[in-house]
Amino acid sequence: MKSASGFAAPGARQGSALNVAAVRADFPILKDSVHGRPLVYLDNAATTQKPRAVTDAVTDFYAHGNSNVHRGVHWLSQQATERYEAARASVQTFLGARSPEEIVFVRGATEGINLVAQTYGRARVGPGDEVLITAMEHHSNIVPWQMLCEERGAMLRVAPINDSGELAVNEFARLLSPKTRLAAITHMSNALGTINPVAQLVETAHARGVPVLVDGAQAAAHLSVDVSALDCDFYVFSGHKVYGPTGIGALYGKAAHLAAMPPYQGGGDMILDVSFERTIYNKAPFKFEAGTPHISGAIGLAAAIDYIGRWGKNAIAEHETALTRYALEKLAGIDGLRFIGTARERTSVVSFVLEGIHPHDIGTVLDQEGIAIRTGHHCAQPIMSRFGVPATARASLAMYNTRDEIDALAAALRAVVRMFNR
Ligand SMILES: *Cc1c(COP(=O)(O)O)cnc(C)c1O
C-alpha cells in the first residue's frame, strides 16, 4: 500500500499554495450542472465529494481484488487482508497514533462514539456519576451519552458557550467534578466552525483524572490532527467527511484503554476461540470489529488519506482558512445578514440567518442557482436554541472551493434578499 507521504502530485509542492484548479480536476462531480447551472457545492460539513483516486480504489478492489479478510489462505484473501490492514496503518499515520492496534474501523464518528459509550462508558459510569460534554456538540456526541447516563443513573453535564460560539473554558474546568467519569468534546463545531483548544481541555481534564473523547468528524478534514500530542484518550472521525466513502470511519483509543474494554458486538473476527460454554475474545482492535468489515470502505479511506497527503494538510488548511475569511467579508455586507458563530478560532463553516427570511427559503432559492448549502439545525439543536434561532443557513468549505463560488453565493443571497423584501 502506498503511504500518505510518498507522493508528489503535479502542482503540489511542500509549503506552496494549493493548486485549486488541479484539485478540482480530480473531482468529476464538480464539472456537473444542477438545474442547468454549474454546481457550487458548499455542503462539505455534511459530506465531501470524492476524488477519482478514491472511487477508482473502491472500483478496482471490487473488480480485481475482492475477497473476505482474515480468514482465507488463498491469495486474494491474503491480498485483501494486507490492503485492509495497510489502510489501518494509513489511518494511524493520519491521526498520529502510536500503533495500528490503536485504530478500530467503525461506520463513522457516530458509531465510534457509541462504541466508547457502550463499552468503556458502561464499565466506568455508575449511579451518581457524571459525563461532561459541551453546548456545541453534534447530536452524535450528545445522545449516546444521554442513553448511557439514563441506563446507569448518571448525570449529563454541559459546559456552556459564549455569544461568539466559543467554549467557556473556565466553566468547563469548573464542571469537572470528582464525579466526572468522562468528558466528550468536539474538536471543531459543524454548526459554528469553532475550533476548540483541545490540547488545553485534555490537560485540564487529565489533571482531574478525567479521560477525554474527542469528536474529530469536522476537524479531521480541516486541521492537522495528532492524537499523541493532544494526549486525548479517544478520537473519532468519518471517512465521508475527508473525501472518502460513506460507511467507514475510525476510532482511535489509547492501547491500554482498548485492551481493558469489553467487546462491543459479538460475532466472527472478534474471537479467538468459541465453544458453547465460553468464548475467548481476540485482542484489540479486532475485538471491536465483529463480522465482515467494510473492506472496500477502508481501502477507499486510505486512498482519501493518500489524496490529502499529496496536497498536504497545511496547504489545504491555509486555502480553507483564507477562503473562510473571504466568505465572511463577502457576506458581511448583505442586508439583514447575521452570522451565527463568530469565534476567533474557526475555519471552513459559515452559518448565518437573513432577517425575516426562513433558512429553508434561502436554501430552496439557492438550489435553483445550482448552489448547495445546508439549512436546518445541522444535527445540533441545542446550539440553535442557544442562539435563539430554529435553524440557520450554512455554507461549508472544502479544499476544492473557490472565491468565484463564494462570489456566486453572495450574489445569490443578495437576490434572495431582494426577492423577499420587495
Ligand atoms: C458529521 C458529524 C458527526 C457525525 O458523523 P457521522 O459520519 O454522521 O457519523 C459528529 N460530529 C460532528 C462534529 C460532525 O460534523
Side-chain angles (χ1 to χ4, degrees):
M1 195 75 200
K2 295 148 191 164
S3 82
S5 53
F7 277 98
R13 266 169 292 118
Q14 210 62 39
S16 71
L18 189 66
N19 183 344
V20 181
V23 169
R24 290 183 70 82
D26 292 334
F27 290 77
I29 208 170
L30 298 179
K31 294 186 196 78
D32 289 356
S33 293
V34 170
H35 304 309
R37 311 295 298 266
L39 169 66
V40 174
Y41 187 76
L42 298 172
D43 192 20
N44 295 287
T47 199
T48 51
Q49 299 302 342
K50 318 305 172 199
R52 204 174 273 110
V54 168
T55 53
D56 281 356
V58 172
T59 304
D60 183 64
F61 172 74
Y62 282 126
H64 303 293
N66 182 56
S67 180
N68 211 332
V69 293
H70 293 156
R71 282 164 235 158
V73 292
H74 63 82
W75 187 83
L76 268 180
S77 178
Q78 286 175 7
Q79 290 294 305
T81 304
E82 229 168 78
R83 294 188 68 189
Y84 182 68
E85 291 307 321
R88 197 188 306 279
S90 290
V91 174
Q92 175 208 345
T93 309
F94 186 63
L95 293 182
R98 288 187 175 85
S99 95
E101 282 78 47
E102 293 180 316
I103 303 300
V104 180
F105 280 122
V106 288
R107 280 194 297 131
T110 302
E111 190 179 44
I113 296 167
N114 278 279
L115 190 160
V116 174
Q118 291 301 313
T119 59
Y120 185 82
R122 231 192 221 160
R124 191 178 161 85
V125 176
D129 288 341
E130 294 175 0
V131 173
L132 177 60
I133 61 171
T134 82
M136 70 172 90
E137 299 308 318
H138 187 282
H139 293 166
S140 292
N141 204 24
I142 302 173
V143 183
W145 306 116
Q146 264 172 346
M147 291 166 70
L148 173 69
C149 287
E150 192 162 320
E151 180 193 311
R152 307 296 296 154
M155 270 274 287
L156 188 67
R157 306 303 297 265
V158 183
I161 56 176
N162 67 20
D163 291 340
S164 304
E166 294 164 331
L167 180 65
V169 173
N170 291 343
E171 283 298 297
F172 176 84
R174 201 183 57 78
L175 284 166
L176 288 164
S177 85
K179 295 181 198 157
T180 312
R181 290 287 159 269
L182 189 114
I185 56 180
T186 192
H187 196 166
M188 178 185 156
S189 160
N190 66 301
L192 305 169
T194 308
I195 301 167
N196 278 320
V198 168
Q200 183 196 342
L201 298 173
V202 170
E203 199 183 343
T204 307
H206 282 180
R208 305 217 164 84
V210 176
V212 180
L213 174 141
V214 180
D215 174 359
Q218 285 304 319
H222 305 292
L223 312 172
S224 291
V225 176
D226 184 342
V227 291
S228 301
L230 291 176
D231 198 31
C232 55
D233 297 272
F234 300 100
Y235 197 98
V236 298
F237 78 100
S238 298
H240 72 96
K241 292 188 180 177
V242 296
Y243 312 102
T246 52
I248 188 77
L251 159 69
Y252 157 82
K254 282 185 176 169
H257 291 324
L258 294 184
M261 281 154 60
Y264 179 42
Q265 296 174 332
D269 247 19
M270 54 79 73
I271 50 84
L272 285 181
D273 193 67
V274 178
S275 70
F276 287 119
E277 288 69 44
R278 56 108 191 79
T279 289
I280 299 173
Y281 302 130
N282 205 336
K283 63 181 172 39
F286 311 108
K287 179 169 67 176
F288 303 105
E289 295 180 3
T292 299
H294 189 1
I295 307 164
S296 68
I299 288 167
L301 173 55
I305 290 172
D306 271 352
Y307 184 78
I308 291 170
R310 273 188 245 173
W311 298 104
K313 261 256 171 107
N314 289 342
I316 294 169
E318 239 168 69
H319 167 68
E320 290 172 342
T321 305
L323 198 58
T324 307
R325 217 175 298 126
Y326 182 74
L328 292 171
E329 282 164 20
K330 273 309 261 201
L331 268 50
I334 294 172
D335 217 20
L337 186 142
R338 173 162 71 101
F339 291 116
I340 304 296
T342 50
R344 249 167 314 156
E345 295 295 327
R346 56 119 38 109
T347 189
S348 303
V349 172
V350 179
S351 273
F352 56 90
V353 291
L354 287 175
E355 203 186 330
I357 307 172
H358 196 279
H360 285 293
D361 292 334
I362 305 174
T364 306
V365 175
L366 263 55
D367 177 56
Q368 290 306 309
E369 301 295 314
I371 302 172
I373 62 161
R374 187 146 296 242
T375 59
H377 54 60
H378 318 297
C379 295
Q381 281 181 322
I383 293 191
M384 300 300 121
S385 44
R386 168 67 180 77
F387 286 94
V389 293
T392 74
R394 179 188 71 188
S396 53
L397 312 177
M399 65 190 292
Y400 39 65
N401 288 123
T402 64
R403 289 188 170 214
D404 286 350
E405 291 179 312
I406 300 300
D407 292 345
L409 170 68
L413 287 174
R414 287 205 157 81
V416 170
V417 171
R418 281 195 302 275
M419 189 182 303
F420 282 86
N421 292 349
R422 271 180 311 201

